[in-house]
Amino acid sequence: MLGLMQNWPLTVDKILDHAKAWHGETEIVTRSVEGPIVRTTYAQVHERAKRMSNALKGLGVKPGDRVATLAWNTARHIEAWYAIMGIGAVCHTLNPRLFPDQLCYIVNHAEDQIIFTDLTFLPVLAEHRAKLTSVKHIVVLTDEAHMDAAAAIPGALCFETLVVQNSADCEWGGFDENTAAGLCYTSGTTGNPKGVLYSHRSNFLHTLVTLNADVMALRAQDVVLPVVPMFHANAWGIAFSAPAVGAKLVMPGPKLDGASVHELLESEGVTFSAAVPTVWQMLLTHLRDTGGKLSTLKRVVIGGSAVPESIVRAFKGDYGVEVTHAWGMTETSPLGTQATPNAAIAAMPAEEQIRYRLKQGRAPLGIEMKLTDDAGARLPHDGTTFGRLKVKGPFVVREYFKGEGGEILDSEGFFDTGDVATIDEHGFMQITDRAKDVIKSGGEWISSIEIENLAVGHPKAAIAAVIGAAHPKWDERPVLLVKLKDGETATKQEFLDFLEGKIAKWWTPDDVVFVDDIPLGATGKIDKKLIRERMKDYVLPTAEKAKERA
Ligand code: ADP
């Protein structure tokens, strides 16, 4: 027997309809790519997005066509998203931090018809335009006054002109909620980038889950600054969740440095923000250097890579800001877990709670999670056994776009995240490594991430990375790479002493190497693949000794 409730397809256009109807005057403030701060409202964004939908139809976009965006977080970018998704086309977010060759590969693989771009990216598009074979139009997210910058791209269209030229009379939605809405490629740390194709339904459900009080808990009275880019795993859903509750949005545009972010946090009265740890590190450094305050900020969500303890302590201790650590990936829309205390943890003394707040946390409703060994057998949730982390749920990938990578679910329908983790008795998951970065020493696993996070807490360290280096007896041993803060000098022993007692003896790095640069990948994470390449001729001093003895 079927239920007798209404069928109301879960399509994301309804989110902006809702924001317009009930929060129409709520502001969206942008630090524009052209420079000035610009203000608009949900009602205006709704109308302009509808006009842009008509413009897209006029340019020949049909349901299912892919339309790309290569853009910073701005109100225009939001208008482009809803314009595309509202008419059943697929919004493909391109990550401008990718190498041009990767970008071209992705655009061609997705067969993007149109690219919306910011002024910033015109040079790279002009240079590679000829290789983008499916692209019929490039729309520049600017006004006529700035279109000179697009001279190198013949036929480039101006966003503001299209808005003026088209009517706002456009029907949105009316299709199956399983219709594709968005496309985002993983950065391809192994093999070619693979596309994750979100549906309206998966985005809608993800929005509801992130609004949970134990997740992002946004409210109409919040002022939300997503530093995390819309091109990186959908700004963790904030371009949906903020309008869904009618929260004011503050969009940082191209400027993500500490001073610029701080200025917006203060001038717009931001209460909630979300970003990867490196962004927060920059903000905290700026605050320390300038004696700046955080007078309105209450909560930040940090994810994308593990949050160092020093950040959690600084936010809470120095500025009274609550940090929630979250984990997820492009393939999980992206939210997977968040480390919000349950009743038992909340009852612990603050110092004891920190241990849990630094874990990646527990699954909200909508995420099933398990640990397995390499053969797929389930492992215990005892907080110490490491295993492959696998997830399942209505906003987790089932298959990559165009079947790339083949069958990706196990026999129980779980997706292998490529992460290695533990799960404790409170259900708190902790990432110990990526499967390909874990250091295998004498048949046991060493977590590179855990050592990195401790090492970066050394007052002289700017950033630290740990990789495995070949060892004749142990297979691999950890090497710690450290980039020191400007003007600092240090000895290897200082770092080894700093780690002593914080990790098991056999986890202690066999060597400490001071480097000028630790490369970050396109999503702001330490690029271990590149580090391993740079270190390919490196020989561990302990490996040499072991060989001499043999
Ligand atoms: P990319 O592989 O392109 O960086 P994602 O942004 O989807 O793509 O990254 C997902 C991965 O980032 C996860 O599988 C995990 O390894 C890592 N990650 C995300 N959040 C955290 C976190 N809070 N702590 C540790 N690692 C994290």
Side-chain angles (χ1 to χ4, degrees), residues 204-251:
F204 204 108
L205 292 174
H206 180 263
T207 303
L208 297 180
V209 169
T210 58
L211 289 173
N212 232 299
D214 274 348
V215 189
M216 293 199 195
L218 296 186
R219 302 194 301 172
Q221 53 187 269
D222 274 315
V223 180
V224 179
L225 172 65
V227 187
V228 55
M230 292 164 74
F231 57 74
H232 183 200
N234 301 317
W236 303 348
I238 291 173
F240 300 123
S241 55
V245 295
K248 172 177 162 183
L249 262 177
V250 181
M251 305 298 269

Side-chain angles (χ1 to χ4, degrees), residues 114-333:
I114 291 180
I115 301 179
F116 284 97
T117 180
D118 274 326
L119 293 168
T120 322
F121 312 113
L122 288 170
V124 67
L125 282 180
E127 190 183 339
H128 299 277
R129 177 70 185 92
K131 288 184 228 155
L132 307 175
T133 47
S134 57
V135 176
K136 300 193 186 102
H137 301 284
I138 288 181
V139 179
V140 190
L141 294 154
T142 193
D143 51 20
E144 281 296 344
H146 293 85
M147 281 302 284
D148 286 353
I153 305 182
L157 299 167
C158 169
F159 187 88
E160 287 302 324
T161 306
L162 290 175
V163 167
V164 174
Q165 283 172 347
N166 284 275
S167 100
D169 184 12
C170 176
E171 201 59 28
W172 275 350
F175 37 74
D176 190 307
E177 64 185 22
N178 288 300
T179 301
L183 178 64
C184 183
Y185 282 70
T186 60
S187 29
T189 27
T190 51
N192 273 330
K194 293 189 271 299
V196 179
L197 189 63
Y198 309 104
S199 67
H200 280 264
R201 175 187 152 83
S202 70
N203 279 341
F204 204 108
L205 292 174
H206 180 263
T207 303
L208 297 180
V209 169
T210 58
L211 289 173
N212 232 299
D214 274 348
V215 189
M216 293 199 195
L218 296 186
R219 302 194 301 172
Q221 53 187 269
D222 274 315
V223 180
V224 179
L225 172 65
V227 187
V228 55
M230 292 164 74
F231 57 74
H232 183 200
N234 301 317
W236 303 348
I238 291 173
F240 300 123
S241 55
V245 295
K248 172 177 162 183
L249 262 177
V250 181
M251 305 298 269
K255 294 208 171 146
L256 308 182
D257 60 284
S260 304
V261 169
H262 182 231
E263 187 185 73
L264 281 180
L265 290 173
E266 289 297 298
S267 62
E268 296 301 326
V270 172
T271 59
F272 175 95
S273 187
V276 296
T278 40
V279 164
W280 297 124
Q281 199 74 63
M282 289 192 289
L283 175 73
L284 291 169
T285 306
H286 169 78
L287 292 177
R288 263 178 231 127
D289 292 351
T290 58
K293 297 269 165 301
L294 294 171
S295 42
T296 57
L297 189 65
K298 292 192 177 67
R299 296 180 296 127
V300 295
V301 171
I302 309 187
S305 48
V307 52
E309 185 168 341
S310 52
I311 291 188
V312 177
R313 287 189 187 275
F315 265 121
K316 183 81 186 166
D318 302 345
Y319 305 99
V321 174
E322 199 68 56
V323 168
T324 307
H325 188 194
W327 165 88
M329 59 200 310
T330 306
E331 286 88 335
T332 61
S333 292

